Amino acid sequence: MAQRETWTSRAGFIFAAVGSAVGLGNIWSFPFQTASNGGAAFLVVYLLAVFLIGFPTMLIEFTIGRRSKQNAVSAFAELGYGDWTFAGAIGVFASFITLAFYSVVGGWVISYIVGSVTGAYLGDAGAYFGSVSSGLVAVGAHAVFIAVTIGIVAFGVADGIERATKFMIPAILVLLVGLAAWASTLPGAGAGYSYYLSPDFSVIASNFADIVPAAMGQAFFTLSLGFGVMIAYASYLGRDDSLPGDSAIIVVLNTIVALLAGFAVFPILAATSGVGDASGGAGTAFIALAGAFGQLPAGQIIGLVFFVVLLFAALSSSISLLEAPTSYVVDSQGMERRTVAIGIGAVAFVLGIAPAYGYVGLFNDLVFNVLLPVAVLFIALFVGWVANREAVDELGRGSSIGEGATTIWLWWVRIVVPIAVIVTLYLGVTSFYTGLTTGAYF
Ligand code: PFF
């Protein structure tokens, strides 16, 4: 078999992993989830979820990936625990399902870039969203988005993924900082910030059962955990740099992008239609923001910049979603990467036709509420209770953390992570089931 690829440098790996983490979840979902769930109060719960549960979970995936040098499915057998293959398979399945609906939303973004150039959404953003978000236009844009994703993955780990993310991540950061700075000059910016960040702990107290799974689900989703993606990415590490150090950089950068997105979005809304009506999630984000661009001087250009940022964020994530199943087939069947990427992308395209006709919510919640927590639970139990100490010690290789820190992490992964995930899973499954039985998704 051909030699397995590796990243060309430590920075290459970090850019790719940040690219996976920074996505629609940061820029599209995060600000609106925060605003509608109690502002700064939600932020506290979310940051706790990211740093106390997400960060140690990222270390689990990195440890499995670098130790096994295999994709998420084959990794378990490689480490000598073939019975646990299912744990990785759930994640890879989740990444495949996510790719299908993520690409549909990526297609919306493409339509909004076109709309920014033509000015089509400036007059009536709601009508524009209606015309591009489902039906043939949505399927077409989804096809374009997934084709670009396939194109990048087909080029390989270093020449495709690493090169693309090295360009896209700095661009996202620079453009978002610019957008946030520009937004701060708008009249009413202060009202936007206070809507975004004013803590309302009573919202948390009264909606605890919704907010905890929302914050945890968002933490896993935004860090790309539970998909096998970070296992695959760490498996391409050819050298031993500090896994905790790399993770910390990735988690912090990802958080900065999410926060920055809020600092760009809310002043813009406050300066135009007002912030209150933007709290209704998916469609409203595209509608309220796009409507705001229609009311601002230079709004068309600002809109273009915003949707280009969103496109880069979406693409740098979708390539990781395609990479997880692709690396599995390439590793296990020895097939050519390009053929595999095209084949898997084509199947994801077909599956994505359902969300392109209105089932984004169903796909999203299946992943968020069910598949992710299940996958994370099993990999945590695996590293916590099953894997031998030699495999666990992979965490500290190349880093200055000692045996003691590894042991603390191990106990954290044994006890705290599973408990947090089980609570999340229970609440998430309950709400998904309610959605199914009340017909909310259909
Ligand atoms: N982290 C991405 C986001 O926040 O949009 C979503 C995602 C990408 C999840 C890649 C999982 C993944 F493998």
Side-chain angles (χ1 to χ4, degrees), residues 293-306:
F293 295 139
Q295 296 172 39
L296 291 169
Q300 198 167 349
I301 291 176
I302 297 294
L304 181 62
V305 173
F306 178 81

Side-chain angles (χ1 to χ4, degrees), residues 25-105:
N26 302 59
I27 299 169
W28 177 49
S29 326
F30 170 80
F32 294 95
Q33 282 212 10
T34 305
S36 55
N37 282 323
F42 173 82
L43 198 58
V44 173
V45 179
Y46 168 77
L47 290 176
L48 287 175
V50 163
F51 286 96
L52 295 181
I53 308 297
F55 176 64
T57 304
M58 185 176 284
L59 295 178
I60 298 176
E61 295 209 10
F62 282 177
T63 300
I64 296 175
R66 195 175 68 181
R67 179 86 197 162
S68 66
K69 299 263 188 289
Q70 284 290 315
N71 65 84
V73 179
S74 317
F76 295 86
E78 181 71 23
L79 296 175
Y81 303 94
D83 291 354
W84 283 77
T85 298
F86 74 93
I90 297 170
V92 171
F93 177 67
S95 70
F96 179 69
I97 301 280
T98 305
L99 177 60
F101 81 84
Y102 207 83
S103 170
V104 171
V105 181

Side-chain angles (χ1 to χ4, degrees), residues 301-393:
I301 291 176
I302 297 294
L304 181 62
V305 173
F306 178 81
F307 288 113
V308 166
V309 168
L310 206 51
L311 180 68
F312 285 167
L315 264 179
S316 65
S317 295
S318 65
I319 54 182
S320 71
L321 290 165
L322 179 56
E323 178 60 25
T326 299
S327 72
Y328 164 56
V329 177
V330 170
D331 282 347
S332 63
Q333 311 298 324
M335 286 169 68
E336 207 202 351
R337 161 176 287 274
R338 195 179 321 155
T339 316
V340 176
I342 293 173
I344 295 177
V347 181
F349 167 72
V350 173
L351 188 65
I353 292 175
Y357 275 89
Y359 295 105
V360 170
L362 173 68
F363 277 57
N364 182 76
D365 289 3
L366 172 66
V367 169
F368 243 80
N369 295 17
V370 185
L371 294 176
L372 286 197
V374 170
V376 171
L377 179 62
F378 284 122
I379 58 167
L381 293 176
F382 171 75
V383 165
W385 297 98
V386 178
N388 58 34
R389 179 72 196 208
E390 213 190 325
V392 168
D393 278 338

Side-chain angles (χ1 to χ4, degrees), residues 21-425:
V22 166
L24 297 167
N26 302 59
I27 299 169
W28 177 49
S29 326
F30 170 80
F32 294 95
Q33 282 212 10
T34 305
S36 55
N37 282 323
F42 173 82
L43 198 58
V44 173
V45 179
Y46 168 77
L47 290 176
L48 287 175
V50 163
F51 286 96
L52 295 181
I53 308 297
F55 176 64
T57 304
M58 185 176 284
L59 295 178
I60 298 176
E61 295 209 10
F62 282 177
T63 300
I64 296 175
R66 195 175 68 181
R67 179 86 197 162
S68 66
K69 299 263 188 289
Q70 284 290 315
N71 65 84
V73 179
S74 317
F76 295 86
E78 181 71 23
L79 296 175
Y81 303 94
D83 291 354
W84 283 77
T85 298
F86 74 93
I90 297 170
V92 171
F93 177 67
S95 70
F96 179 69
I97 301 280
T98 305
L99 177 60
F101 81 84
Y102 207 83
S103 170
V104 171
V105 181
W108 297 352
V109 177
I110 293 177
S111 294
Y112 270 81
I113 289 180
V114 174
S116 302
V117 174
T118 63
Y121 64 72
L122 296 172
D124 185 347
Y128 189 74
F129 185 69
S131 67
V132 302
S133 62
S134 68
L136 273 185
V137 178
V139 173
H142 159 54
V144 173
F145 185 88
I146 216 157
V148 177
T149 304
I150 293 170
I152 297 173
V153 171
F155 269 102
V157 172
D159 292 340
I161 299 174
E162 184 173 331
R163 237 189 340 173
T165 50
K166 261 187 182 161
F167 163 74
M168 289 193 279
I169 294 304
I172 290 170
L173 278 168
V174 170
L175 294 176
L176 257 189
V177 169
L179 275 178
W182 174 83
S184 73
T185 65
L186 293 172
Y193 297 142
S194 75
Y195 176 75
Y196 177 31
L197 293 175
S198 57
D200 185 349
F201 285 98
S202 69
V203 177
I204 298 232
S206 55
N207 295 318
F208 189 76
D210 292 330
I211 286 179
V212 168
M216 289 277 292
Q218 176 70 13
F220 290 137
F221 190 79
T222 190
L223 294 173
S224 307
L225 300 172
F227 294 82
V229 163
M230 293 305 187
I231 296 180
Y233 274 16
S235 76
Y236 299 127
L237 281 167
R239 31 181 284 169
D240 296 332
D241 290 309
S242 162
L243 293 181
D246 288 0
S247 286
I249 296 172
I250 295 160
V251 170
V252 168
L253 276 176
N254 181 64
T255 305
I256 288 175
V257 171
L259 291 173
L260 265 179
F263 281 108
V265 166
F266 289 106
I268 293 176
L269 292 176
T272 52
S273 53
V275 277
D277 40 347
S279 54
T284 328
F286 277 96
I287 297 166
L289 251 189
F293 295 139
Q295 296 172 39
L296 291 169
Q300 198 167 349
I301 291 176
I302 297 294
L304 181 62
V305 173
F306 178 81
F307 288 113
V308 166
V309 168
L310 206 51
L311 180 68
F312 285 167
L315 264 179
S316 65
S317 295
S318 65
I319 54 182
S320 71
L321 290 165
L322 179 56
E323 178 60 25
T326 299
S327 72
Y328 164 56
V329 177
V330 170
D331 282 347
S332 63
Q333 311 298 324
M335 286 169 68
E336 207 202 351
R337 161 176 287 274
R338 195 179 321 155
T339 316
V340 176
I342 293 173
I344 295 177
V347 181
F349 167 72
V350 173
L351 188 65
I353 292 175
Y357 275 89
Y359 295 105
V360 170
L362 173 68
F363 277 57
N364 182 76
D365 289 3
L366 172 66
V367 169
F368 243 80
N369 295 17
V370 185
L371 294 176
L372 286 197
V374 170
V376 171
L377 179 62
F378 284 122
I379 58 167
L381 293 176
F382 171 75
V383 165
W385 297 98
V386 178
N388 58 34
R389 179 72 196 208
E390 213 190 325
V392 168
D393 278 338
E394 177 71 28
L395 176 75
R397 242 171 13 104
S399 100
S400 56
I401 71 159
E403 284 269 313
T406 302
T407 302
I408 294 173
W409 169 72
L410 183 60
W411 279 98
W412 195 263
V413 167
R414 281 186 176 162
I415 312 283
V416 182
V417 172
I419 291 177
V421 175
I422 286 170
V423 172
T424 307
L425 186 60

